[in-house]
């Protein structure tokens, strides 16, 4: 199982605002290139994102389903990427100082990727998920309140 951790300069709630907006999925998930549809119930357990992976013209339509939605602490998803297989992706968020720590764990649960050697898949997922957390940080930190000062203190 691949694990990456990143400190983000935003509260956990800002991370979960990004995760809750299914249309932002290709903005933070490396490999996802476009959204086709987002279930109205997203991100509740059982709901699905309909996205494409790859780069044009080699795009594959696939889905990611929510398994657990427990803001502002945890989200678990099943990401399909056929013909490679399916992966369980867990995102845990904990307050840390003025920001938070975000951990992403990913493991193949079915398909050909499950049969690949751990050292190979772990190395690729480490690189991919470091960039995924980097992108998630841009979106979450950008949506976080810029200051806790009241309007009267600013004017």
């Amino acid at each position: 199982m691949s694990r990456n951790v990143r400190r983000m300069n935003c509260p956990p709630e800002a991370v979960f605002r990004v995760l809750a907006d299914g249309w932002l999925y290709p903005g933070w998930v490396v490999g996802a290139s476009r959204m086709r549809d987002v279930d109205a119930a997203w991100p509740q357990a059982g709901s699905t994102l309909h996205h494409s992976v790859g780069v044009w013209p080699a795009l594959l339509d696939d889905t990611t389903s929510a398994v657990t939605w427990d803001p502002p602490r945890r989200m678990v998803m099943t990401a399909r990427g056929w013909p490679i297989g399916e992966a369980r992706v867990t995102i845990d968020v904990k307050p840390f100082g003025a920001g938070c720590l975000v951990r992403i764990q990913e493991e193949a649960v079915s398909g050909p990727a499950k049969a690949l050697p751990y050292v190979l898949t772990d190395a690729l997922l480490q690189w991919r998920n470091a960039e995924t957390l980097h992108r998630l940080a841009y979106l979450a930190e950008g949506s976080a309140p810029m200051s806790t000062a009241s309007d009267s203190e600013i004017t």
Side-chain angles (χ1 to χ4, degrees):
M1 175 186 310
S2 173
R3 289 185 182 98
N4 292 69
V5 177
R6 183 181 178 98
R7 183 174 190 273
M8 296 189 187
N9 296 314
C10 61
E13 293 79 9
V15 174
F16 277 82
R17 278 194 297 273
V18 174
L19 299 176
D21 186 342
W23 292 103
L24 292 178
Y25 190 78
W28 61 273
V29 175
V30 174
S33 55
R34 67 178 178 198
M35 291 304 300
R36 299 185 331 275
D37 194 21
V38 176
D39 283 1
W42 182 264
Q44 300 305 314
S47 61
T48 303
L49 298 176
H50 305 266
H51 55 82
S52 300
V53 297
V55 289
W56 187 89
L59 289 169
L60 297 173
D61 291 344
D62 235 318
T63 60
T64 293
S65 299
V67 176
T68 303
W69 175 249
D70 183 21
R73 292 175 290 284
R74 182 174 231 230
M75 181 174 200
V76 180
M77 298 172 282
T78 300
R80 292 176 41 90
W82 288 97
I84 296 168
E86 293 183 5
R88 176 158 317 250
V89 179
T90 303
I91 299 173
D92 292 300
V93 183
K94 295 183 179 187
F96 184 78
C100 62
L101 290 177
V102 180
R103 179 180 68 186
I104 187 169
Q105 300 179 107
E106 184 172 350
E107 67 179 316
V109 293
S110 68
K114 189 169 171 66
L116 292 174
Y118 170 77
V119 268
L120 175 63
T121 58
D122 187 55
L124 291 171
L125 289 174
Q126 285 287 318
W127 171 82
R128 177 181 174 267
N129 286 335
E131 177 61 19
T132 290
L133 286 179
H134 186 77
R135 294 176 184 190
L136 181 58
Y138 276 135
L139 292 170
E141 291 170 353
S143 71
M146 295 303 291
S147 171
T148 57
S150 69
D151 290 337
S152 63
E153 292 174 317
I154 296 171
T155 55

